[in-house]
């Protein structure tokens, strides 16, 4: 059983120079207002995103209406909308997860959950995220806040949140998507990039930037808990709307995604067939059960 630490031990107050303060402010602004390094032509368009939504789970339809819309119904109104007054995602049992509509994402580590590695006593930052899955069995990614790469939405799991709430909040804040959660995937624990460089005995990054000595209390590891998220809504405005989004097939994703931990999660989704659905049997208003049929293509 995890023992959560509400505050990172060993941190001390530091007096920053004016240059360090300006750099910290710039880094904070970049995090709160990330801008995609991908061009519009390299990202999925709004029309493409509209077509990959499942019907919203809170909008039941009768059989005649479903038949008239085809085997994979989408709401008559557009699935890409302006930010509403409130937004919701759903657990797999149909219970609602209410998410606060904000213009910026949560930030700061005051409420961050932590654990420690039982073997090395290294500090572990606990995080959550989602694998947004489309109605044709593909995965939607969002652009990184720091460089030109596609990632899955994820971030810190905070003390005032259940795990499912944290995961859907990250999907809303970073990727602007809502939906229905699937079963939790395997937890992944991996080293931070700086920790890996320190462990390998490197004194500099590939760009020549010196890697500082790890300060007391700085986390060396990250543990992430991902959930599939079957997309019901793609928002036009969301907290980190400077990011762009991209839909990729499982095969394209495994060839494109750079981070090994994300590749491992994508492989688990594929191996468990969590991206494949039985379109004849809706779980709830257009969100379909995973298909047990062999040979169904994503």
């Amino acid at each position: 059983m995890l023992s959560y630490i509400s505050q990172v031990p060993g941190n001390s107050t530091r007096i920053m120079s004016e240059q360090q303060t300006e750099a910290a402010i710039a880094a904070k602004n970049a995090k709160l207002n990330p801008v995609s390094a991908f061009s519009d032509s390299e990202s999925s368009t709004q029309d493409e995103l509209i077509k990959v939504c499942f019907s919203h789970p809170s909008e039941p339809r009768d059989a005649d209406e479903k038949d008239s819309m085809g085997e994979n119904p989408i709401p008559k109104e557009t699935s890409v909308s302006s930010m509403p007054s409130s937004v919701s995602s759903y657990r797999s049992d149909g219970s609602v997860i209410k998410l606060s509509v904000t213009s910026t994402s949560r930030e700061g580590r005051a409420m961050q959950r932590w654990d420690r590695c039982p073997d090395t006593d290294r500090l572990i930052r606990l995080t959550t995220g989602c694998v947004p899955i489309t109605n044709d069995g593909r995965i939607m990614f969002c652009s990184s806040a720091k460089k030109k790469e596609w990632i899955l939405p994820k971030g810190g799991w905070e003390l005032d949140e259940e795990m499912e709430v944290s995961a859907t909040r990250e999907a809303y804040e970073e990727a602007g998507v809502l939906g229905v959660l699937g079963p939790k995937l395997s937890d992944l624990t991996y080293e931070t990039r700086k920790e890996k460089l320190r462990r390998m005995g490197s004194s500099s990054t590939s760009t020549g930037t010196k890697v500082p000595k790890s300060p007391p209390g700085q986390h060396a590891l990250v543990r992430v808990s991902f959930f599939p998220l079957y997309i019901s809504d793609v928002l036009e405005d969301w907290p980190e709307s400077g990011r762009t989004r991209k839909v990729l097939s499982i095969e394209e994703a495994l060839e494109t995604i750079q981070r090994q931990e994300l590749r491992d999660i994508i492989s688990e989704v594929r191996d468990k067939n969590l991206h494949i659905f039985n379109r004849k049997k809706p779980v709830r208003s257009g969100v379909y059960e995973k298909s047990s049929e062999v040979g169904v293509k994503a």
Side-chain angles (χ1 to χ4, degrees), residues 254-294:
L254 290 173
E255 293 176 359
T256 303
I257 301 306
Q258 301 172 23
R259 303 186 190 188
Q260 185 58 49
E261 65 271 16
L262 300 186
R263 292 168 54 85
D264 290 344
I265 284 294
I266 295 165
S267 295
E268 182 175 353
V269 169
R270 177 199 61 192
D271 295 345
K272 292 182 176 179
N273 288 331
L274 293 173
H275 62 303
I276 299 175
F277 309 94
N278 181 354
R279 289 177 169 80
K280 295 181 180 179
K281 186 178 181 182
V283 173
R284 191 167 49 255
S285 182
V287 179
Y288 295 86
E289 287 185 341
K290 181 175 68 67
S291 175
S292 59
E293 301 172 9
V294 178

Side-chain angles (χ1 to χ4, degrees), residues 6-291:
S6 61
Q7 186 174 4
V8 181
N11 278 347
S12 57
T13 302
R14 293 188 303 160
I15 299 175
M16 294 192 295
S17 67
E18 183 177 348
Q19 185 177 10
Q20 288 174 320
T21 301
E22 290 176 353
I25 293 173
K28 180 179 179 179
N29 289 338
K31 183 180 186 302
L32 293 176
N33 304 290
V35 177
S36 177
F38 291 96
S39 66
D40 289 343
S41 63
E42 295 173 300
S43 308
S44 295
T45 66
Q46 294 284 25
D47 286 343
E48 289 173 327
L49 295 175
I50 289 172
K51 295 175 183 177
V52 298
C53 287
F54 293 97
S55 295
H56 195 288
S58 65
E59 296 174 356
R61 289 180 168 78
D62 58 35
D64 292 339
E65 187 175 1
K66 288 179 182 177
D67 290 342
S68 68
M69 295 176 71
E71 66 174 11
N72 196 24
I74 296 175
K76 289 182 177 179
E77 64 273 19
T78 176
S79 293
V80 175
S81 60
S82 297
M83 185 181 292
S85 58
S86 64
V87 293
S88 300
S89 282
Y90 297 82
R91 296 179 179 85
S92 57
D93 64 2
S95 59
V96 178
I97 300 174
K98 288 288 186 182
L99 301 171
S100 299
V101 173
T102 59
S103 58
T104 59
S105 297
R106 276 195 181 194
E107 59 93 20
R109 299 283 174 86
M111 297 290 288
Q112 172 65 50
R113 293 181 188 247
W114 306 90
D115 192 21
R116 283 198 179 275
C117 176
D119 298 325
T120 65
D121 199 41
R122 290 192 294 178
L123 198 62
I124 305 173
R125 184 185 182 217
L126 302 182
T127 65
T128 64
C130 285
V131 183
I133 295 176
T134 66
N135 61 18
D136 58 1
R138 294 183 292 167
I139 297 174
M140 196 195 80
F141 297 86
C142 59
S143 58
S144 169
K146 296 181 179 179
K147 53 186 177 179
K148 190 174 183 179
E149 66 171 326
W150 297 114
I151 61 171
L152 293 170
K154 74 174 185 66
W157 179 16
E158 302 192 358
L159 290 167
D160 61 342
E161 300 175 302
E162 296 178 356
M163 184 181 288
E164 293 88 348
V165 174
S166 176
T168 53
R169 175 179 58 78
E170 291 296 338
Y172 160 64
E173 290 180 347
E174 294 192 356
V177 291
L178 307 170
V180 180
L181 290 175
K184 188 174 84 69
L185 301 168
S186 301
D187 289 343
L188 286 178
T189 302
Y190 58 93
E191 288 183 313
T192 64
R193 180 169 173 269
K194 286 184 178 180
E195 182 65 17
K196 185 177 294 186
L197 288 170
R198 293 187 188 99
R199 181 176 57 78
M200 295 173 64
S202 174
S203 61
S204 63
T205 65
S206 59
T207 58
T209 303
K210 187 175 181 180
V211 178
K213 185 178 180 180
S214 181
Q218 178 169 314
H219 69 282
L221 302 171
V222 175
R223 180 180 301 145
V224 60
S225 301
F226 273 107
F227 293 81
L229 180 74
Y230 302 102
I231 303 170
S232 62
D233 292 280
V234 179
L235 303 176
E236 188 174 17
D237 298 303
W238 69 99
E240 299 184 23
S241 55
R243 297 179 190 259
T244 55
R245 302 170 285 202
K246 180 72 173 179
V247 175
L248 298 171
S249 69
I250 294 284
E251 293 75 19
E252 290 171 333
L254 290 173
E255 293 176 359
T256 303
I257 301 306
Q258 301 172 23
R259 303 186 190 188
Q260 185 58 49
E261 65 271 16
L262 300 186
R263 292 168 54 85
D264 290 344
I265 284 294
I266 295 165
S267 295
E268 182 175 353
V269 169
R270 177 199 61 192
D271 295 345
K272 292 182 176 179
N273 288 331
L274 293 173
H275 62 303
I276 299 175
F277 309 94
N278 181 354
R279 289 177 169 80
K280 295 181 180 179
K281 186 178 181 182
V283 173
R284 191 167 49 255
S285 182
V287 179
Y288 295 86
E289 287 185 341
K290 181 175 68 67
S291 175

